[in-house]
Amino acid sequence: KDESGHRVGLSMEQVDQLSEAYPEHIILVEADGSRSLPMKLHRSDEPLFPESTTLAVAVTGLSAIGGKVEDVLHRFGRDGFVAPEIKTENKAGKKIWGWDETYELLTREDGYISKVPADVPMMLAFCQMDDCDDTIGLFQFLDRMMEKVPLILMGDLADLEPRMKAVYNTDYES
């Protein structure tokens, strides 16, 4: 950790050196953590990808859906970070994080998808599947996302037996 208590990882150059030294290995890099929250607003220079990246996986938590924005979105309300317009409301009329906000965060001009290097394939991975009560919204969201990303993995690792489901768009054109 550095003097402010933040974890300090390997540089992207060090990751590339690992890839060169161990070409037969798969090296997983958490390029951009969210301080244990399910969603994150990125700085303009985030996420960082090593040159040796062969697959980008955007991992996010489905527990964000239906939550208070300030409780589920890292850096919400901080200067210099622009959150999607929060349009989703719960039954009491309070603004909450929803599928439209998630879609915008991933697909907007400066969203996660735009940050992936052009020659690197990407997929989405949604954790905390058991925390998602809105399956109708989930399927509508998946339908929209699969126009942009051909492979989406969903799962829950909270129990002793991890559960994973994958959806794939066979019509996707890269």
Side-chain angles (χ1 to χ4, degrees):
K1 294 184 178 183
D2 65 12
E3 60 277 351
S4 65
H6 291 98
R7 290 186 197 132
V8 179
L10 299 175
S11 70
M12 295 302 110
E13 293 78 20
Q14 290 171 313
V15 172
D16 288 330
Q17 290 170 354
L18 272 175
S19 294
E20 290 171 15
Y22 301 99
E24 70 282 0
H25 289 78
I26 295 173
I27 299 171
L28 298 174
V29 177
E30 179 185 4
D32 195 17
S34 63
R35 302 277 175 187
S36 299
L37 293 177
M39 301 276 173
K40 178 180 184 176
L41 293 172
H42 295 91
R43 290 191 321 246
S44 61
D45 65 334
E46 293 175 333
L48 301 172
F49 290 95
E51 297 250 344
S52 55
T53 301
T54 56
L55 175 66
V57 181
V59 180
T60 190
L62 289 174
S63 65
I65 304 302
K68 290 196 273 184
V69 179
E70 60 273 11
D71 293 342
V72 300
L73 185 60
H74 178 50
R75 294 183 175 148
F76 179 73
R78 287 182 46 191
D79 288 341
F81 295 95
V82 179
E85 180 183 350
I86 309 302
K87 301 175 188 171
T88 306
E89 295 181 355
N90 63 14
K91 291 178 183 177
K94 304 246 186 212
K95 299 282 186 179
I96 58 171
W97 189 262
W99 296 112
D100 290 337
E101 292 80 8
T102 302
Y103 183 83
E104 182 180 337
L105 186 67
L106 291 168
T107 63
R108 65 187 182 179
E109 186 175 312
D110 66 340
Y112 186 88
I113 290 174
S114 73
K115 309 258 181 151
V116 176
D119 60 337
V120 175
M122 77 161 297
M123 64 176 279
L124 299 178
F126 290 105
C127 299
Q128 303 167 323
M129 187 171 64
D130 288 352
D131 292 333
C132 179
D133 296 330
D134 181 9
T135 54
I136 292 172
L138 172 63
F139 287 116
Q140 291 170 342
F141 172 80
L142 291 174
D143 189 49
R144 291 171 63 196
M145 277 309 304
M146 294 195 81
E147 294 176 10
K148 309 238 179 238
V149 180
L151 179 62
I152 301 175
L153 180 69
M154 295 173 291
D156 203 291
L157 307 173
D159 290 336
L160 293 175
E161 290 287 324
R163 289 171 321 287
M164 307 297 271
K165 301 202 182 289
V167 288
Y168 182 75
N169 182 352
T170 58
D171 296 330
Y172 183 79
E173 293 185 26
S174 56

